[in-house]
Amino acid sequence: MYKLQDYDASLADSVVGIAVKYDGFSGVIAPTNNAGAHWGPIYRNIPDGNNGREWTNNFLAQYPSDANNYAFNLCDKYAFADGRTNGYLGSNSEWKLLVARKDVLDFAMTAIGGDAFSETSWVAGESSANASDYGSYLTWSTGSFANQSKTARNYASRTLIELPEGLEW
């Protein structure tokens, strides 16, 4: 892991993502977007969770045969540069914390040669009273969350993963 001030482009191949510890969130943000995909299967209630990890695990456990082409599965299967998989689709509450620091995150992502944050990205979380039909998405530039039919749009998603054990700040 490198502090931003110690990083230079020659280290790009060893970068796993952007490590963030901020206001109760700690994790690593993947440097690239997942391909566009649907949020989840329409007419399926996604089990609730307190955070994106729980949502992703609940979705994959309840709908394993449906999972292949949805944002939850893409995040779970994302391969970080250090070989780790088992990422997750961040929740509304996790991304609300992160989007509050979007200027710093955009700068850091650009500095490591990562993809710009997608203008519109899927996030985990109940988004409406009719959760069987809708998924929640984030508009990065405004930091606002809204609903969209789970299968109406192929939005990108960004994988999060827990910080490695024993990481010192």
Side-chain angles (χ1 to χ4, degrees):
M1 185 151 116
Y2 311 102
K3 291 186 177 182
L4 194 54
Q5 65 267 22
D6 300 330
Y7 175 80
D8 68 58
S10 69
L11 303 170
D13 288 342
S14 63
V15 171
V16 172
I18 299 173
V20 177
K21 191 169 185 178
Y22 173 71
D23 199 18
F25 174 83
S26 63
V28 178
I29 305 170
T32 56
N33 293 313
N34 293 312
H38 294 313
W39 188 87
I42 201 160
Y43 306 124
R44 297 283 178 93
N45 286 315
I46 307 302
D48 201 354
N50 294 321
N51 57 51
R53 163 59 61 215
E54 235 180 295
W55 274 88
T56 300
N57 290 347
N58 289 346
F59 174 83
L60 295 171
Q62 185 146 350
Y63 303 113
S65 64
D66 287 340
N68 291 333
N69 297 309
Y70 298 114
F72 289 99
N73 192 35
L74 292 175
C75 290
D76 178 62
K77 301 298 183 216
Y78 182 93
F80 283 82
D82 63 357
R84 286 188 297 161
T85 56
N86 196 29
Y88 63 92
L89 182 64
S91 69
N92 291 3
S93 60
E94 288 163 322
W95 281 107
K96 280 178 186 173
L97 291 173
L98 294 170
V99 81
R101 301 299 310 256
K102 66 183 178 178
D103 295 342
V104 173
L105 295 176
D106 281 331
F107 175 80
M109 196 58 71
T110 301
I112 67 167
D115 293 344
F117 286 94
S118 293
E119 179 58 18
T120 306
S121 296
W122 289 120
V123 296
E126 290 292 356
S127 55
S128 71
N130 192 2
S132 64
D133 294 334
Y134 294 96
S136 185
Y137 69 90
L138 162 66
T139 301
W140 183 251
S141 62
T142 62
S144 62
F145 294 84
N147 306 327
Q148 179 61 257
S149 171
K150 290 178 183 175
T151 60
R153 298 281 188 274
N154 285 331
Y155 291 145
S157 57
R158 187 65 68 113
T159 303
L160 303 177
I161 199 165
E162 290 83 4
L163 287 172
E165 291 289 321
L167 183 67
E168 296 294 328
W169 285 92

